[in-house]
Amino acid sequence: MRLSTAATTGLLAISVTGALLTGTAGAAEQGSRATCLYPYVCVIKNNNIIGQFQDLTGGWQFLPSKPAAPLTVVNTRNSAVSIRWTTGTTACLPPSSTIGFSTGMLDAVRVSSSTTC
């Protein structure tokens, strides 16, 4: 399991079973990363942003659909973000990080005020 982030080695707290994570997005999805602007968390599928979040909440913010992988999640914020799959499995993305995964269905996002996972 690899995470593509230069500044936060060791800060990623992931509890993932049944989902293959990769730290690099495909070339098409990397092109979309530029369109995910601060202070958003973007869910990208097929080179399109299908979910965009910025509000701090105490609970989960649900995606309008349950998109299936492959997906990329880009966290442009200066705070940690949790993502949740339909299985209940969660992962925490440190500030300014990107994670891609090739299996599973994404369910929800939670934006934190904390700078660490």
Side-chain angles (χ1 to χ4, degrees), residues 17-115:
T17 56
L20 175 62
L21 301 176
T22 59
T24 57
E29 289 180 340
Q30 285 180 351
S32 288
R33 185 171 184 214
T35 63
C36 186
L37 302 175
Y38 176 82
Y40 290 100
V41 176
C42 299
V43 179
I44 301 171
K45 182 172 178 76
N46 297 327
N47 205 24
N48 294 303
I49 294 176
I50 61 170
Q52 197 169 14
F53 303 89
Q54 73 173 8
D55 296 333
L56 294 173
T57 61
W60 293 99
Q61 299 177 65
F62 295 94
L63 280 99
S65 65
K66 306 255 188 288
L71 296 168
T72 299
V73 180
V74 179
N75 178 11
T76 66
R77 300 181 60 84
N78 296 323
S79 59
V81 172
S82 295
I83 58 174
R84 185 177 73 187
W85 285 265
T86 56
T87 61
T89 301
T90 62
C92 182
L93 281 71
S96 302
S97 63
T98 299
I99 191 169
F101 55 98
S102 59
T103 62
M105 294 174 71
L106 196 60
D107 181 41
V109 172
R110 181 173 49 217
V111 179
S112 171
S113 61
S114 175
T115 58

